[in-house]
Amino acid sequence: MAIEKMTMVSLVASQKDKRKILEKLILSERIHLDTTHDDLDNFITHEYESKISHIMEDYTLEETDELDIDNMSYTLERIASSLNISLEIDRNDNSYTLATANDELNKFILETEENIEKLRELENSHIELRYLENIVHSVKQKNIKFKMLTQLNNFGFQVGLLAHENTMQIRKNYENISAIVVKVGEVPDIKEDIYLVIYPNHLKQETKNILASVNWQKIRIPDEFLGDITQIEKHLHDKIEVYNKEIERLNTLVYKDINNKRQLLNRIYTRVQLEREILKLSNQVYHGNNVFVVRSWVPQKDVADLEKQISDITNKYVISNKPIEKTDEPPTILNNNKLFAPFEMIVKMYGLPSYHEIDPTPFLALSICLIFGIMFGDIGQGFLYFVAGSIVAKKNATAGGLLKRLAICSMLFGFFYGSLFGLEQHQLPWLPSILGGSPLDTDNIIPILVASVVVGVILLTLSYTVGIINSLRRSDIEHGIFGSHGVFGYIFYISLILLIASITGVIGISPIVFEISIIVALIVMVFKEPLTHLIENTRPLIKGDKGTYFVENGFEGLETVLSGLSNAISFIRVGAFALNHAGLFLAFLIMSEMTDNIILKIFILVLGNILILTLEGLVVFVQCLRLEYYEMFNKYFMGGGYAYNPIILGKEQEII
């Protein structure tokens, strides 16, 4: 079965062993916590507390201070960030306590943090000096003597950067600026100009306001660099060299044995995260007088192993496995084989099946591949899709796997049609073709359209069947038997198909037989509620106002008629797209034959294939989704399930 079997596990154990047990449960990464505790008072008091005979021994609970965890976590992230280390969960070693982890963290800080801080300060200063050096190179030819500018009594100056788009704004306002604005260089890498602004001291504030309005970036020039340009350049170079040597020395100290440091920080991080999860889980479980209870959903295949792990810690526990009833709502784990697994993505886009539903993935996988192959059958184009899928799979295995499977079906139907990059058997005589001739041949058009309707009838029959089974699993007789998607809903649909076949002479049965069947099915669907209550021996047969009931169900019957007609003809689009696929390339082929230039011919054919692969391929896939979602899923797929979300270190959990 494609939906994993689940079990509700209730674990009752002594408070004395709570920390060790919660830690083991978290590390198992198998428990999907259930936080409903409404029925546990009686459950614990009368059934299980008495079974744990050793819980009355004296013990002291070791509680973790959440503040300590937050402080350690903050310190860890700060240290890791300064070392450019991405913290990860270390699943290999969880043998030491939080206290030991805290001691190791403090020791690590004492040994390395001072050097790290010095290194970061030097790196920031080094960046500023290199930036200043770049500016000095830009203004070197101007031979500006900053020292002399600082000695002006009645004038001040600024050096700064202006983006190119703000330069025009300055130029437009030259007449309003009581200052000298001179471009002295540029920084090409960031597309900004370097300007020197000299202003009277009494207009200092006015000048600052004007410069601020154009996003002026002032460059601070330290006093030690106030001299002629040659002196500044030499001084900068010497200081940068000193910084380089000191940075190299500190890098050697800080990043020495970086792999060992990374492992240590990851071990501490793992312990901190584990303690955080223990504290969170401890607040969510039920606490009795001397025991605690953890209720969780666990995959059935993992229950025995989980119990063994608990037994290795203590014998003061009781585990019960509650049988799953129809009213229970376990989480859903889709567990399809490799062939169908990529199609789970399409199912989840619509909704996750509930635990008691039949997983639609295998049926969807087979049907969507069939439909896509019929509508987009081509050996060459399918092969290109397969190559694209193989490339995509390196980044996204699910999307790549889906594309490769659709591509294989496209190639298979390409052999059926005899189509290679749109060219058919009459252009390439050596090309195999089961159909014999182009899909657009007069003899093939009607059979293709009829075959698409037959495929639709088969797929919808299977859809109705799965839907009926799902409804009967829920003991929903009203919808499973008498509903529009139940037994009588299918009788109505198939009778409508056979009526059309009878009228057109495809079958030799009188149309009256199917007309009667349609009328009976409609009447039964209108009276579905009283018929269900009659079978279930429930009274009254119709709840609420009878007039309202018949009006609503009358309209529902009309909707069923319209839906049945839509279902009957909807799959014609499958055959129509198969013909459209051949017709679209034929248009490009005709255009290529209108020119004698071989290069132009090839260009037109290549362009045609590109458009078919991109635009038509996308449209065909969308049509596949439409047929799945709106024609088939609504017959059998309810959805409404929720995902299995076990507690996993380093992963955000959803609380249900």
Side-chain angles (χ1 to χ4, degrees):
M1 190 173 181
I3 294 180
E4 186 79 48
K5 291 283 188 181
M6 303 294 292
T7 299
M8 167 63 81
V9 174
S10 296
L11 167 66
V12 187
S14 168
Q15 293 271 17
K16 180 180 180 180
D17 301 313
K18 183 177 73 170
R19 171 172 290 280
K20 291 181 180 178
I21 290 175
L22 293 184
E23 179 176 326
K24 184 63 70 173
L25 290 175
I26 291 168
L27 292 175
S28 73
E29 300 186 344
R30 296 173 185 173
I31 67 164
H32 178 113
L33 190 66
D34 181 73
T35 56
T36 56
H37 301 145
D38 299 340
D39 61 334
L40 287 182
D41 279 323
N42 184 63
F43 172 80
I44 294 173
T45 303
H46 298 293
E47 188 171 355
Y48 284 103
E49 273 209 60
S50 60
K51 291 186 179 181
I52 303 176
S53 58
H54 302 88
I55 60 175
M56 302 308 294
E57 299 173 359
D58 292 334
Y59 61 88
T60 302
L61 284 176
E62 297 179 7
E63 295 295 343
T64 302
D65 190 339
E66 187 172 3
L67 185 60
D68 290 343
I69 294 177
D70 289 339
N71 288 337
M72 288 183 67
S73 180
Y74 171 77
T75 304
L76 264 175
E77 290 175 2
R78 179 170 55 81
I79 295 295
S81 176
S82 64
L83 290 173
N84 298 319
I85 291 175
S86 178
L87 293 172
E88 298 176 352
I89 297 296
D90 182 357
R91 305 182 190 280
N92 299 320
D93 184 6
N94 299 294
S95 58
Y96 54 89
T97 64
L98 184 65
T100 304
N102 191 40
D103 291 342
E104 290 186 352
L105 179 59
N106 289 331
K107 181 182 177 182
F108 184 88
I109 291 171
L110 287 174
E111 293 175 350
T112 62
E113 187 169 38
E114 184 178 352
N115 287 331
I116 292 172
E117 288 180 358
K118 285 182 180 178
L119 177 61
R120 296 297 168 251
E121 288 175 5
L122 279 174
E123 286 177 338
N124 290 333
S125 299
H126 183 265
I127 291 171
E128 291 178 2
L129 289 178
R130 291 300 300 268
Y131 186 62
L132 189 55
E133 184 183 43
N134 185 32
I135 293 172
V136 167
H137 285 317
S138 299
V139 300
K140 183 176 181 180
Q141 292 182 345
K142 301 293 182 180
N143 196 25
I144 297 173
K145 296 180 180 180
F146 294 113
K147 191 71 174 177
M148 294 179 64
L149 290 174
T150 61
Q151 295 172 355
L152 295 173
N153 294 324
N154 299 314
F155 292 88
F157 78 97
Q158 286 189 25
V159 177
L161 298 177
L162 268 180
H164 288 175
E165 58 267 22
N166 292 320
T167 302
M168 294 303 297
Q169 190 174 345
I170 283 284
R171 290 175 180 172
K172 290 177 182 178
N173 288 279
Y174 272 157
E175 67 276 8
N176 300 321
I177 301 174
S178 301
I180 299 172
V181 182
V182 181
K183 179 180 176 181
V184 294
E186 61 181 16
V187 185
D189 291 344
I190 57 175
K191 296 182 179 180
E192 291 185 341
D193 296 325
I194 305 169
Y195 277 83
L196 171 65
V197 178
I198 302 174
Y199 51 84
N201 285 338
H202 68 280
L203 296 175
K204 179 178 179 179
Q205 190 57 47
E206 179 183 333
T207 304
K208 282 185 176 181
N209 293 338
I210 293 173
L211 293 176
S213 69
V214 291
N215 297 320
W216 172 259
Q217 300 175 53
K218 182 180 177 181
I219 300 169
R220 187 184 66 83
I221 302 176
D223 292 342
E224 58 185 309
F225 298 124
L226 292 175
D228 65 66
I229 201 73
T230 304
Q231 292 174 339
I232 293 174
E233 191 172 32
K234 185 178 184 307
H235 194 176
L236 274 171
H237 178 75
D238 293 343
K239 194 153 189 173
I240 287 172
E241 284 299 312
V242 172
Y243 277 25
N244 283 338
K245 291 178 181 178
E246 184 63 11
I247 288 172
E248 185 177 351
R249 185 185 72 81
L250 288 173
N251 268 323
T252 303
L253 291 174
V254 169
Y255 292 103
K256 182 180 179 181
D257 298 327
I258 190 64
N259 288 332
N260 291 334
K261 291 177 179 177
R262 181 184 290 107
Q263 290 175 7
L264 173 62
L265 292 178
N266 283 338
R267 285 200 302 271
I268 298 172
Y269 173 71
T270 301
R271 172 49 56 179
V272 169
Q273 291 299 106
L274 184 54
E275 291 295 332
R276 191 189 297 280
E277 289 296 340
I278 290 173
L279 185 62
K280 185 191 299 184
L281 183 56
S282 178
N283 292 332
Q284 292 175 325
V285 302
Y286 183 92
H287 294 87
N289 294 327
N290 298 295
V291 297
F292 71 97
V293 183
V294 182
R295 295 180 68 168
S296 58
W297 293 106
V298 179
Q300 196 175 79
K301 61 182 176 58
D302 294 329
V303 173
D305 184 56
L306 189 64
E307 183 169 2
K308 181 180 182 304
Q309 291 185 42
I310 301 300
S311 66
D312 290 340
I313 299 173
T314 180
N315 60 355
K316 303 169 190 175
Y317 74 93
V318 175
I319 285 183
S320 69
N321 301 333
K322 175 180 175 248
I324 294 178
E325 301 174 358
K326 291 182 179 179
T327 54
D328 291 330
E329 297 182 1
T332 301
I333 306 176
L334 297 181
N335 186 20
N336 290 283
N337 59 40
K338 291 182 180 180
L339 180 63
F340 299 139
F343 294 91
E344 291 177 0
M345 177 178 69
I346 297 178
V347 174
K348 291 175 182 177
M349 286 168 59
Y350 188 90
L352 195 65
S354 64
Y355 181 80
H356 299 288
E357 274 190 278
I358 295 175
D359 179 15
T361 306
F363 178 43
L364 176 138
L366 296 173
S367 58
I368 201 170
C369 283
L370 175 65
I371 295 169
F372 186 87
I374 293 173
M375 291 196 286
F376 201 87
D378 189 280
I379 302 169
Q381 293 160 0
F383 176 74
L384 290 182
Y385 273 150
F386 187 86
V387 172
S390 300
I391 296 171
V392 171
K394 295 177 181 178
K395 296 289 185 181
N396 187 319
T398 300
L402 177 64
L403 186 55
K404 286 194 290 184
R405 284 155 179 76
L406 294 176
I408 290 172
C409 290
S410 176
M411 286 189 285
L412 290 175
F413 275 90
F415 283 107
F416 176 81
Y417 294 131
S419 177
L420 178 67
F421 291 113
L423 299 172
E424 296 171 347
Q425 196 177 50
H426 58 277
Q427 283 109 9
L428 304 172
W430 48 268
L431 194 64
S433 172
I434 298 174
L435 181 65
S438 170
L440 293 175
D441 288 350
T442 307
D443 295 336
N444 291 332
I445 292 176
I446 297 301
I448 287 175
L449 294 175
V450 171
S452 66
V453 174
V454 172
V455 167
V457 171
I458 294 171
L459 293 178
L460 287 174
T461 297
L462 293 173
S463 299
Y464 274 104
T465 303
V466 175
I468 292 167
I469 294 172
N470 280 333
S471 294
L472 295 181
R473 277 185 170 188
R474 299 191 303 269
S475 300
D476 187 354
I477 296 175
E478 181 175 340
H479 291 95
I481 302 296
F482 305 118
S484 59
H485 297 152
V487 173
F488 280 90
Y490 177 69
I491 291 173
F492 171 83
Y493 165 71
I494 201 66
S495 297
L496 186 63
I497 295 293
L498 294 174
L499 175 63
I500 295 172
S502 176
I503 292 172
T504 55
V506 175
I507 58 176
I509 302 175
S510 172
I512 297 176
V513 175
F514 304 114
E515 290 170 357
I516 294 172
S517 178
I518 289 172
I519 294 171
V520 170
L522 278 173
I523 293 172
V524 169
M525 285 187 283
V526 169
F527 286 89
K528 62 183 178 182
E529 184 178 320
L531 288 172
T532 301
H533 290 167
L534 188 64
I535 293 173
E536 295 175 343
N537 197 24
T538 302
R539 296 296 183 276
L541 295 179
I542 297 177
K543 295 180 181 179
D545 182 68
K546 293 181 175 60
T548 302
Y549 171 81
F550 283 111
V551 169
E552 290 178 353
N553 280 271
F555 279 108
E556 188 175 327
L558 178 61
E559 182 185 357
T560 301
V561 172
L562 297 175
S563 176
L565 291 170
S566 172
N567 291 156
I569 63 174
S570 188
F571 277 83
I572 290 180
R573 74 181 68 234
V574 176
F577 267 93
L579 300 176
N580 176 72
H581 182 69
L584 186 58
F585 182 79
L586 180 61
F588 283 97
L589 184 63
I590 292 172
M591 284 190 288
S592 71
E593 291 175 350
M594 295 171 65
T595 177
D596 295 329
N597 189 316
I598 186 64
I599 296 176
L600 187 57
K601 281 179 181 289
I602 294 174
F603 173 77
I604 292 173
L605 294 178
V606 170
L607 178 63
N609 272 279
I610 291 173
L611 290 175
I612 290 170
L613 283 165
T614 53
L615 296 180
E616 191 195 359
L618 178 61
V619 171
V620 166
F621 182 69
V622 169
Q623 287 300 322
C624 289
L625 292 182
R626 184 200 173 281
L627 291 171
E628 292 288 344
Y629 287 166
Y630 297 106
E631 301 297 342
M632 290 188 278
F633 267 21
N634 67 351
K635 306 290 188 302
Y636 68 92
F637 186 32
M638 293 290 292
Y642 63 99
Y644 173 63
N645 187 38
I647 298 174
I648 296 176
L649 282 183
K651 172 188 172 186
E652 291 294 325
Q653 307 298 318
E654 296 177 6
I655 299 176
I656 61 166

